[in-house]
Amino acid sequence: RDVAVTGVQTCALPIYGTVNEVVNGLLGPPSAPVSGNTALPAIAVVPGGSANVFARALGMEPDPLRATGQLVELLEQSARRRVSLAYTDDRWFLFNAGVGTDAAVIKSIERQRNSGKKATPARYFATTLACFFAAARQHPTVTVTVPGEAPMQAAYYAFVSNTSPWTYLGSRPVNTNPGTTFDTRLGVFAS
């Protein structure tokens, strides 16, 4: 499904995260020509970052040692899982791209991390509340367009995802697009 999300603060930020950077490095930009003989790379994910959102979305154990055990078992079974990807601003994203408020949250978290603060579920929650209430005082600027449907104008935020649930809040799920999985088309939630 083709989805267009535009606005003054579009700032879709799926760019952060180690796994996301690895995938972008392996695949190159979505706009690059692809040869018909190009094999898609396989990756294995061990959670070790501050949020581990993609690893959790795949059902990996949060503990790196247990997750490594899971991977060993999966490799012994020759198990593979295809994951659909999406892109924005010529960058691939693995599970979610947020526009508007969500993008402001990620931008703020990255600023805080760059100043030496740890990205924790509590920090994500507090930052989300602050950004949500700040956006509520502003005029909504996001427009969502889905082929075959009337554009949704004057939204505060939009979540485009290829799986649900996902989360930055520890084990608490964020379920913006119920029914959306790595095997289905993109889900869009906007308000």
Side-chain angles (χ1 to χ4, degrees), residues 26-27 34 37-43 80 82-83 85:
L26 288 170
L27 295 179
V34 178
N37 298 329
T38 304
L40 293 175
I43 63 169
R80 289 182 178 253
R82 183 177 291 259
V83 174
L85 300 179

Side-chain angles (χ1 to χ4, degrees), residues 99-168:
V99 179
T101 304
D102 182 58
V105 169
I106 301 304
K107 193 173 193 176
S108 177
I109 288 290
E110 289 303 313
R111 241 188 336 264
Q112 293 174 58
R113 288 179 69 189
N114 289 338
S115 71
K117 295 178 181 169
K118 189 174 179 181
T120 64
R123 186 169 310 282
Y124 273 104
F125 183 71
T127 302
T128 299
L129 285 178
C131 290
F132 180 81
F133 288 116
R137 294 187 297 270
Q138 299 172 359
H139 181 71
T141 59
V142 175
T143 301
V144 179
T145 306
V146 176
E149 299 190 24
M152 178 184 182
Q153 298 178 346
Y156 286 98
Y157 54 84
F159 297 97
V160 179
S161 62
N162 66 351
T163 191
S164 190
W166 53 270
T167 187
Y168 292 107

Side-chain angles (χ1 to χ4, degrees), residues 158-185:
F159 297 97
V160 179
S161 62
N162 66 351
T163 191
S164 190
W166 53 270
T167 187
Y168 292 107
L169 303 172
S171 61
R172 292 173 186 88
V174 175
N175 207 349
T176 55
N177 296 307
T180 301
T181 70
F182 288 125
D183 301 316
T184 63
R185 292 180 161 193

